[in-house]
Amino acid sequence: MGLFKKLFKGSKKKEVPIERNLMSILPGDIIMYFGEDYEVTATVEWVEDGYSWKEYKLTNKGKAFWISAEIDDGEVSAGFYEVVEDIDFHENKKELKYRDMVFKFEEKGKAQGVLTSKLGKQNYKCKYYQYETEDGSQKISIEDYDGEMEMSIGEDLKQNEVNILPGS
């Protein structure tokens, strides 16, 4: 054993495994959900009047998905959404019909966010609209980025079915 190895043998740091949860997902991570793997391509930290939440953009087999997560009363609540393009929407609609379901208007607001991806950071502002079925099992989220619309349909995330694999 060389002199330097003897001197510095005990100073080698043990690597601590990276652990992720629904509030600490990063671009490059893999989300396993109900047997499917989704790559996290971006994260967005949103703020509206001091209230904050996170969204994670996912891809799987060429399709786009989102996880939206927030801390409410000390518990994480989250939704899983598939991006769609064919919802008939205008700003003042109180009810939407989609996939043979009726969605009632729940809330709207204006938020500012910072998107982080492997390419860097971008600032965003959007108006958002939330709708849900009467029993609350299905939700529609619509985000308006100065006329560019993103629409998605989803449901509450089954947290016991989620496994997060750190990408880096």
Side-chain angles (χ1 to χ4, degrees):
M1 192 179 281
L3 177 63
F4 285 106
K5 283 188 176 179
K6 284 184 179 180
L7 290 173
F8 298 104
K9 183 170 86 175
S11 66
K12 198 173 191 181
K13 292 183 180 178
K14 289 186 177 182
E15 288 190 30
V16 176
I18 299 169
E19 201 170 302
R20 297 275 199 267
N21 61 51
L22 286 172
M23 299 307 292
S24 66
I25 296 169
L26 296 174
D29 288 352
I30 301 296
I31 307 295
M32 297 171 66
Y33 189 57
F34 282 106
E36 293 285 334
D37 293 348
Y38 301 85
E39 180 183 359
V40 180
T41 58
T43 65
V44 184
E45 294 190 39
W46 290 107
V47 176
E48 178 187 28
D49 298 327
Y51 176 75
S52 64
W53 67 99
K54 294 184 178 187
E55 291 183 350
Y56 307 102
K57 186 171 189 176
L58 315 173
T59 58
N60 172 282
K61 299 175 185 169
K63 290 177 132 185
F65 300 85
W66 287 94
I67 289 176
S68 180
E70 63 183 305
I71 297 175
D72 187 17
D73 294 328
E75 298 285 327
V76 175
S77 64
F80 185 82
Y81 296 84
E82 177 184 0
V83 175
V84 295
E85 296 180 5
D86 55 345
I87 297 173
D88 181 25
F89 170 79
H90 66 76
E91 190 171 342
N92 296 317
K93 269 195 164 180
K94 298 293 179 198
E95 185 177 280
L96 300 175
K97 292 182 181 168
Y98 187 71
R99 295 183 181 167
D100 297 323
M101 294 180 281
V102 176
F103 295 81
K104 302 280 187 191
F105 174 78
E106 285 294 313
E107 68 174 326
K108 68 179 180 176
K110 295 179 183 178
Q112 297 181 342
V114 177
L115 178 138
T116 303
S117 71
K118 291 181 178 180
L119 300 175
K121 294 184 181 237
Q122 292 177 283
N123 294 313
Y124 285 94
K125 291 182 181 179
C126 86
K127 291 191 260 181
Y128 67 87
Y129 306 86
Q130 299 289 328
Y131 293 81
E132 68 178 50
T133 55
E134 191 172 321
D135 66 1
S137 65
Q138 296 286 305
K139 300 166 187 340
I140 287 180
S141 175
I142 298 175
E143 296 176 350
D144 179 353
Y145 301 90
D146 289 327
E148 187 178 326
M149 307 297 277
E150 183 169 277
M151 303 174 185
S152 55
I153 183 168
E155 60 189 14
D156 289 341
L157 184 88
K158 314 288 188 283
Q159 294 185 39
N160 60 331
E161 294 291 336
V162 175
N163 191 11
I164 304 166
L165 303 175
S168 52

